[in-house]
Amino acid sequence: MNQPCTMQRPAHGGNLEWAAGVARCQPQEILDFSASINPLGPPESAIAALQAAIPSLRHYPDPSYRRLRQALADHHQLSAEWILPGNGAADLLTWAGRDLATLDCVYLCTPAFGDYRRALAAFGSRVQPWPLAWSRSGALQGEAFAVPVAATDPIEAWVQSWPPQAGCLLNDPHNPTGQRLDPRFLQACLNHFEQVVIDEAFLDFLPPADQHSAIDRIVDYPNLTVIRSLTKFYSLPGLRLGYAVAHPDHLRRWQQWRDPWAVNSLAISVGAAVMTDGAFQQRTWDWLPPARWQLFRSLQQIPVLSPIPSVSNFLLVECQASVSQLQFWLLQEARILVRDCLSFPELGDGYFRVAVLQAAQQQQLQTALSARLGLH
C-alpha cells in the first residue's frame, strides 16, 4: 500500500481535509470515527438558536457573557461568577497551563491528551509524567485508572510523597481509555496539591446520576478548576465552545489575560439554548450504552483487536497489526477514518481509538476491519 509521504499526520482526530487527501475524495465522503462527536446532533435547539442569532453578528459579543454564564450556572446550581466560557476547552486549557506554570512542576497522568502538553509547554511548565497502571492485555489495573504502576501504598500515602508546591492535570473520563477517575485519588490530590485541574470534556455522556462531577466540590476547594466542553455532546466542534468552573478570583485573572471577546455571539446563543434541551440530553443517554456495546462486541469478534471497556462515547482498541498502515488502508479502500494513537507516546502504533456512531456506520467499520484484518 502506498502511503503519501508528503502529508503530515494530524495530532488530533477529525481532520477531514487530511483524510480526504489520503483517500483522494471529498471531505464529506469520509466516515469519521476519529472525532468523538455525538452523531445525534447538533440538536434542533442549537440550529434554531443559530438562526435567531444571525442579526447579532453586526454587534460585538457581550464580553461578560452574562446570558451564557447564567445558563451554565443554573445548570450546575452555582453563582454565575464561578463560570467562565471559552473558545472551546482548548482555549481554557491554555490559561490553565499559564496558572500551572507558576508551580514547581505539574504531574500529568499518561497516556494523556496531546493538547495538555501543548498548554503546559506554552508557559514553560516542568512536566512530571504519572504513568497509568497499564496492562497490555487490554485493561487498566484496578477499579479506576489513576493508580500508578509502581504504587504499593494507599493512594493517600503515595500522593503525599510528591511536593505540595506542584499541580496536577487530570481528565475524567480519561482520554483515550474512557475510564473513570478514582474518587479517592482525586480527593488525595485536592488535599495535597497547590492546583488541581480536571478536564471533564466527555463527562456529559454519562447520565446525571452517574456523573459525580468534581464541580460538586468546587466551592470547598479553591485550588480546583474544572474544564468542560459543549462541542462533543452537542455536536458543535466547528462552533468552539467550552467553559471553566473555578473560584471567581481565579477566573477573573484568566479574563484579564485573554482576548476580551473569546466567545462569539453565535456560540453564546447556542450554548444558552442547548443547556436546557432536556429532550436531546435524554435521547443521547438512552442511545449511547447499547450503541457502545454493539461497537465493543463487533470489535471483539476480530481476533487481532482488543477493545477496552469505556463509559464514554469512544473505545480504545489494542491492535496486533500496525495501526498506521491500517489507518491508510481504511481511508484508501473504505473512506473510513480512525484515530491513530501516535500522539500518545505510551501507546504508539499498537492502538487506535474509535467513536461510537450509528449502527449502520459501525457495521461499515466492522466490515472494513474484517476485510483487512480477517476473522480467522
Side-chain angles (χ1 to χ4, degrees), residues 69-111:
R69 291 174 76 182
Q70 191 59 57
L72 294 167
D74 291 344
H75 179 76
H76 292 293
Q77 298 182 334
L78 289 169
S79 169
E81 63 181 353
W82 290 75
I83 308 284
L84 180 66
N87 186 36
D91 169 41
L92 298 161
L93 283 168
T94 298
W95 307 119
R98 179 169 177 176
D99 256 348
L100 290 167
T102 63
L103 304 175
D104 291 344
C105 68
V106 180
Y107 290 88
L108 181 65
C109 286
T110 56

Side-chain angles (χ1 to χ4, degrees), residues 294-336:
Q294 179 200 47
L295 178 60
F296 183 87
R297 292 291 296 142
S298 70
L299 295 171
Q300 266 193 330
Q301 292 171 17
I302 302 174
V304 299
L305 299 181
S306 299
I308 294 172
S310 167
V311 302
S312 194
N313 66 323
F314 57 83
L315 295 175
L316 180 66
V317 185
E318 186 173 11
C319 181
Q320 296 176 28
S322 166
V323 167
S324 56
Q325 293 181 16
L326 173 65
Q327 184 188 55
F328 273 95
W329 187 90
L330 287 171
L331 282 170
Q332 293 171 343
E333 301 299 326
R335 295 179 178 176
I336 292 175

Side-chain angles (χ1 to χ4, degrees), residues 16-91:
L16 297 185
E17 293 291 339
W18 175 85
V22 176
R24 296 182 174 87
C25 67
Q26 295 300 310
Q28 61 269 25
E29 299 177 67
I30 299 294
L31 176 52
D32 186 13
F33 279 87
S34 72
S36 300
I37 304 300
N38 187 348
L40 304 185
E44 292 180 5
S45 59
I47 302 303
L50 278 173
Q51 294 172 336
I54 288 174
S56 71
L57 292 178
R58 65 187 302 270
H59 305 292
Y60 281 100
D62 172 13
S64 65
Y65 316 114
R66 281 169 291 188
R67 183 158 61 99
L68 176 56
R69 291 174 76 182
Q70 191 59 57
L72 294 167
D74 291 344
H75 179 76
H76 292 293
Q77 298 182 334
L78 289 169
S79 169
E81 63 181 353
W82 290 75
I83 308 284
L84 180 66
N87 186 36
D91 169 41

Side-chain angles (χ1 to χ4, degrees), residues 252-274:
R252 278 192 286 269
R253 186 165 64 250
W254 289 16
Q255 183 75 316
Q256 291 171 355
W257 289 342
R258 70 175 190 171
D259 172 1
W261 299 288
V263 183
N264 67 70
S265 299
L266 299 181
I268 291 171
S269 295
V270 170
V274 298

Side-chain angles (χ1 to χ4, degrees), residues 35 68 92 94 96 124 129 144-145 153 158 179 190 195 280 286 313 374:
L68 176 56
L92 298 161
T94 298
F145 80 83
D153 297 327
W158 171 68
Q179 298 190 6
L190 289 172
Q195 292 187 41
F280 179 81
D286 292 341
N313 66 323

Side-chain angles (χ1 to χ4, degrees), residues 100-176:
L100 290 167
T102 63
L103 304 175
D104 291 344
C105 68
V106 180
Y107 290 88
L108 181 65
C109 286
T110 56
F113 176 43
D115 215 45
Y116 299 157
R117 291 188 181 275
R118 187 272 309 166
L120 294 170
F123 300 101
S125 292
R126 187 169 73 86
V127 177
Q128 175 65 49
W130 272 347
L132 306 183
W134 189 257
S135 167
R136 297 296 295 183
S137 64
L140 293 170
Q141 299 169 7
E143 296 180 355
F145 80 83
V147 180
V149 173
T152 56
D153 297 327
I155 290 176
E156 292 80 2
W158 171 68
V159 170
Q160 289 295 326
S161 69
W162 301 108
Q165 297 301 317
C168 63
L169 176 52
L170 314 169
N171 64 344
D172 185 26
H174 179 250
N175 177 13

